Amino acid sequence: MCGIAGWINLKGNFAAFDRDVTLRAMCNRIVHRGPDSEGLWLDTNVALGMRRLSIIDLETGDQPVFNENKTVLVMLNGELYNYREVRQSLEERRHRFQTASDTEILPHLYEEYGDKLFDHVNGMFAFSLWDKQRRRLILARDRFGEKPLYYGVFGDHLIWASELKALLAHPSVSRQIDADALRHYVSFDYVPAPLSIFKGIKKLPAAHFLTVEGAAVEIKRYWDLCSPETLAAGTGANGNRSKLDFDLKAEQLRELLSDAVRMRLVSDVPLGILLSGGIDSSTVAAFAARHSDSKIRTFSIGFEEETFDESRFARLVADHIGSEHQEETLSAEKAGSLLPEIGSWLDEPLADPSLIPTYLLARFVRKSVTVALGGDGGDELFAGYPMYYAHRLAELYKTIPGFLRRGLIEPAIRKLPVSNKNLSFEFKAKRFIRAANLDDVARHHSWFGSFAPEKHLQLFTPEFLAQTTDDIYAGARKAASRCQNRGIVEAMQYVDINFYLAEDILTKVDRAAMAVSLETRAPFLDPRIGEFAAALPTEYKLRGNKGKLILKEAARHLLPAEILQRPKKGFGIPVAGWLNGRLKPLVDEFLEEKRLRKQGIFNPEFVKLLVREHQCGVASHQKELWSLLVFQLWCDNFLV
């Protein structure tokens, strides 16, 4: 695992600044991603740099790596899990290798297949490739977006890096909040690609690559789960929807998962499993135990608040598979002390509260291992989120006469007493009715996010809103339209894979883990599993309100029945209570009227109302206040 950075002068001129000093400064901003070594390479109009965390080929795996005649060079952030098989195939085609690293297959794949090289790679990655003969640059990001890649054109330079903070070290880059990105943030709880929080800087979307040749910059998509070609490639494609077929597909999924875990256990440094006690991470842990020659190590986080604590389920799985298990407990006191620390390295605001336990878990795990496997991706691929069923429920709800909904049901739900329990009925019911009558995409993100677009007129100042465009969900609508003919569940899964998974879940895991130099791997995001899941009939994944049916069947003989039968809970934290307790001083400090008026972004009176209602127990505004608090913490670290 590493971090990359660099730039290219689009007009081919020499830079007016000290290129070596600038490149080192950019790499120093991401030294946490790669504390073991540094790689720098300068040509007349291009500069490529990287920081390395040594995982594979500890002795000769430094970068850049080259082809035989050193006309193609690559710097990689990530892991290529099928590199041994690809290397053997390339050697049969008379390619010669100088190292034992996974990165070295890339320049040879480019020689052999050009821009089709992605078809031959199974991994998580962001890389820069320089073709010296053609004076051609390629920047690429993996299929699901496990590894980040930012870029921007400033003056004559296209500049890129694994994290925003590295771009900010380049003298050509300015920092100014993108108003549209901030509106997206408060609606989604994250900034979706291609936007970034800074104007002029973009995120390369997952499954895309960018090329620069001459002064021409071009971006293309190389893989799409909703394309006919990808669906046809999925081994789940079958019109025969019988019990026999379901069992057959479950067996195929079991084999795919087993192989995906096996491939991700390859490491020259200590390795462990992030175990929450949910079915996804538990399945990964069970397969890891089967493939390992020695007892595997599992790690989990517990909470002092009982309704949020899942540690007993993690211990149940650990006992079942015979792992060496370690856990740590999170308290409000510890969470409060972590927030300022998180604000110092979270280079875009991200209002997913599970960032805190994820970071604490990563810091805890890093004391023992350098690589950890997790269960990310299972919910999106196999319809594990309650919202997928809730969309069907919303369609039924809309058939109830309007006078009953507006005059009886909705007022009764709004009067439910506020509860601070994890995913309480009150919380779910109120969020359901607030969005049930919206269109599919708006409803989905209103359930997920903090501030629905109609609240923006109250939240933001008129002066700030004047800088923004109207349709916050335009990108999500475009994505949903590509899968709309397959039904609402598939469409929302596809949107989540491209938005929520890539820019919230995987961003959260990457930043939290990389802050402590821990590499994380996600077997569910093996492209073979993605294609398999996308091609499955919906009823193999979701039936009634029960999701992940085929995954549970695939894991039936691996895990205790209690794990397979327990409902979805999520990696939540008790935000509502913390905001009125240990974190109240932070709320009072960062959301106070004087500060907000000086910023000129948010309406102080509306924010004051949210704080007062939450603290008095009149309403639960935990998501909204958390979103604003995280943004203010980010501002203090990146806008001063």
Side-chain angles (χ1 to χ4, degrees):
M1 191 62 57
C2 311
I4 62 173
W7 70 86
I8 183 170
N9 192 307
L10 299 175
K11 294 187 177 179
N13 300 324
F14 289 101
F17 48 84
D18 190 319
R19 297 191 303 157
D20 183 74
V21 171
T22 297
L23 189 56
R24 287 185 185 278
M26 293 178 71
C27 289
N28 286 341
R29 293 283 182 93
I30 51 173
V31 70
H32 52 279
R33 299 186 74 91
D36 296 329
S37 66
E38 180 179 68
L40 305 174
W41 195 86
L42 296 167
D43 202 343
T44 53
N45 70 319
V46 68
L48 293 87
M50 62 89 61
R51 293 291 319 189
R52 184 184 182 215
L53 176 64
S54 302
I55 303 294
I56 301 292
D57 187 12
L58 306 184
E59 298 299 323
T60 64
D62 285 345
Q63 301 179 31
V65 297
F66 300 85
N67 61 341
E68 294 91 342
N69 61 7
K70 296 195 173 184
T71 58
V72 179
L73 67 97
V74 173
M75 291 188 178
L76 168 76
N77 165 207
E79 301 289 348
L80 308 176
Y81 303 118
N82 64 335
Y83 78 97
R84 290 173 173 170
E85 297 89 337
V86 172
R87 176 174 175 143
Q88 181 178 344
S89 172
L90 289 167
E91 286 176 333
E92 291 171 357
R93 293 172 177 263
R94 300 190 176 183
H95 289 267
R96 300 187 307 278
F97 290 78
Q98 302 301 314
T99 77
S101 75
D102 56 332
T103 308
E104 199 180 356
I105 67 171
L106 291 175
H108 297 284
L109 283 173
Y110 178 73
E111 280 187 299
E112 194 70 35
Y113 302 107
D115 292 352
K116 294 292 185 181
L117 69 90
F118 304 103
D119 296 343
H120 304 272
V121 174
N122 182 339
M124 57 175 181
F125 55 82
F127 67 78
S128 54
L129 181 150
W130 178 241
D131 181 337
K132 294 170 66 176
Q133 291 181 324
R134 292 179 60 181
R135 314 298 294 173
R136 184 173 190 256
L137 174 74
I138 295 179
L139 304 176
R141 193 175 177 202
D142 64 68
R143 290 171 175 84
F144 287 100
E146 290 183 73
K147 295 295 102 186
L149 190 59
Y150 293 85
Y151 72 96
V153 176
F154 292 87
D156 295 338
H157 297 94
L158 184 141
I159 309 164
W160 70 87
S162 293
E163 295 183 15
L164 268 177
K165 61 178 69 66
L167 271 83
L168 300 177
H170 194 285
S172 300
V173 176
S174 59
R175 59 179 84 189
Q176 181 182 355
I177 287 180
D178 185 306
D180 280 323
L182 182 52
R183 284 193 65 203
H184 278 77
Y185 164 71
V186 299
S187 298
F188 288 78
D189 289 345
Y190 55 91
V191 181
L195 294 171
S196 89
I197 194 64
F198 286 123
K199 189 175 292 186
I201 300 177
K202 297 182 181 296
K203 289 193 279 278
L204 186 66
H208 284 69
F209 70 102
L210 177 153
T211 61
V212 179
E213 194 163 8
V217 179
E218 188 174 6
I219 296 175
K220 295 181 180 178
R221 185 167 198 144
Y222 64 84
W223 188 75
D224 189 346
L225 268 185
C226 247
S227 72
E229 297 80 13
T230 304
L231 290 173
T235 53
N238 194 317
N240 176 23
R241 303 183 182 188
S242 64
K243 177 65 169 64
L244 181 63
D245 183 65
F246 178 83
D247 292 343
L248 175 63
K249 295 297 186 290
E251 177 59 32
Q252 291 175 344
L253 175 57
R254 187 158 44 244
E255 292 173 359
L256 284 172
L257 280 168
S258 177
D259 193 55
V261 171
R262 177 194 61 79
M263 292 174 71
R264 285 158 181 80
L265 292 175
V266 176
S267 173
D268 293 332
V269 294
L271 178 147
I273 311 295
L274 307 177
L275 181 60
S276 70
I279 186 173
D280 302 334
S281 64
S282 299
T283 301
V284 170
F287 278 121
R290 289 194 168 195
H291 287 295
S292 179
D293 295 331
S294 58
K295 181 178 286 192
I296 66 167
R297 307 178 73 172
T298 54
F299 303 86
S300 68
I301 284 290
F303 293 96
E304 289 183 349
E305 292 81 356
E306 185 178 348
T307 64
F308 291 83
D309 186 48
E310 294 187 296
S311 57
R312 79 172 185 88
F313 296 106
R315 289 193 296 272
L316 176 64
V317 174
D319 290 342
H320 184 78
I321 64 175
S323 67
E324 179 186 327
H325 188 64
Q326 297 173 251
E327 66 181 51
E328 189 169 64
T329 301
L330 182 64
S331 65
E333 189 69 29
K334 188 171 289 186
S337 65
L338 282 175
L339 273 178
E341 185 178 341
I342 288 172
S344 69
W345 52 257
L346 187 63
D347 53 1
E348 278 194 288
L350 177 65
D352 186 334
S354 64
L355 177 68
I356 290 179
T358 302
Y359 173 65
L360 187 66
L361 177 59
R363 193 173 67 174
F364 173 53
V365 170
R366 187 61 177 91
K367 297 174 183 177
S368 303
V369 301
T370 311
V371 178
L373 276 63
D376 294 315
D379 285 310
E380 292 81 6
L381 291 174
F382 295 101
Y385 292 127
M387 279 75 79
Y388 299 137
Y389 165 68
H391 280 291
R392 292 176 172 174
L393 201 61
E395 294 305 310
L396 291 175
Y397 179 73
K398 287 195 288 188
T399 65
I400 299 174
F403 75 92
L404 285 178
R405 283 185 277 126
R406 294 187 294 271
L408 181 63
I409 299 173
E410 292 173 10
I413 289 176
R414 291 191 184 100
K415 290 179 181 178
L416 288 173
V418 174
S419 170
N420 289 339
K421 292 183 177 180
N422 188 25
L423 295 177
S424 66
F425 172 77
E426 171 265 339
F427 176 81
K428 291 187 288 187
K430 288 177 180 177
R431 291 192 75 80
F432 177 83
I433 64 166
R434 93 171 194 178
N437 295 312
L438 301 176
D439 66 82
D440 296 346
V441 170
R443 180 169 64 217
H444 190 70
H445 289 96
S446 290
W447 285 337
F448 258 120
S450 294
F451 291 95
E454 61 267 21
K455 291 290 184 182
H456 290 195
L457 289 173
Q458 296 170 273
L459 175 64
F460 292 108
T461 65
E463 295 77 15
F464 181 83
L465 282 177
Q467 307 172 44
T468 69
T469 54
D470 290 331
D471 189 1
I472 291 299
Y473 299 139
R477 294 186 204 283
K478 184 178 179 181
S481 68
R482 292 203 287 270
C483 276
Q484 202 72 56
N485 63 331
R486 302 193 66 220
I488 186 171
V489 173
E490 289 92 340
M492 293 305 104
Q493 283 183 274
Y494 182 75
V495 170
D496 284 344
I497 287 166
N498 285 272
F499 283 73
Y500 181 64
L501 176 65
E503 308 304 342
D504 182 311
I505 299 298
L506 298 178
T507 298
K508 170 191 69 179
V509 173
D510 176 82
R511 300 306 190 281
M514 284 287 90
V516 295
S517 305
L518 175 73
E519 173 171 301
T520 54
R521 301 174 178 178
F524 278 96
L525 300 184
D526 187 297
R528 297 170 298 170
I529 294 174
E531 292 167 2
F532 176 89
L536 286 171
T538 304
E539 58 266 31
Y540 284 16
K541 294 174 279 190
L542 178 68
R543 195 171 302 147
N545 65 348
K546 299 186 185 303
K548 298 184 182 176
L549 291 179
I550 196 165
L551 175 58
K552 291 174 181 177
E553 179 61 26
R556 187 160 55 90
H557 299 297
L558 298 170
L559 301 171
E562 188 175 0
I563 299 299
L564 297 172
Q565 294 165 5
R566 61 181 295 239
K568 169 75 179 170
K569 193 168 186 180
F571 202 18
I573 63 171
V575 169
W578 287 359
L579 291 171
N580 285 343
R582 171 64 178 81
L583 302 183
K584 184 177 181 297
L586 288 176
V587 174
D588 294 341
E589 175 186 355
F590 285 100
L591 301 183
E592 58 100 11
E593 182 177 350
K594 184 178 179 181
R595 178 189 175 100
L596 297 182
R597 290 199 184 282
K598 184 178 180 181
Q599 280 182 329
I601 296 174
F602 302 113
N603 174 4
E605 296 302 322
F606 181 64
V607 175
K608 186 188 299 183
L609 176 65
L610 295 178
V611 173
R612 184 169 63 247
E613 288 185 345
H614 185 82
Q615 292 180 346
C616 293
V618 174
S620 176
H621 297 306
Q622 55 175 303
K623 285 184 67 65
E624 293 87 346
L625 293 178
W626 183 262
S627 173
L628 296 176
L629 180 59
V630 169
F631 175 74
Q632 297 295 348
L633 285 165
W634 174 83
C635 283
D636 267 20
N637 285 279
F638 287 91
L639 286 182
V640 292

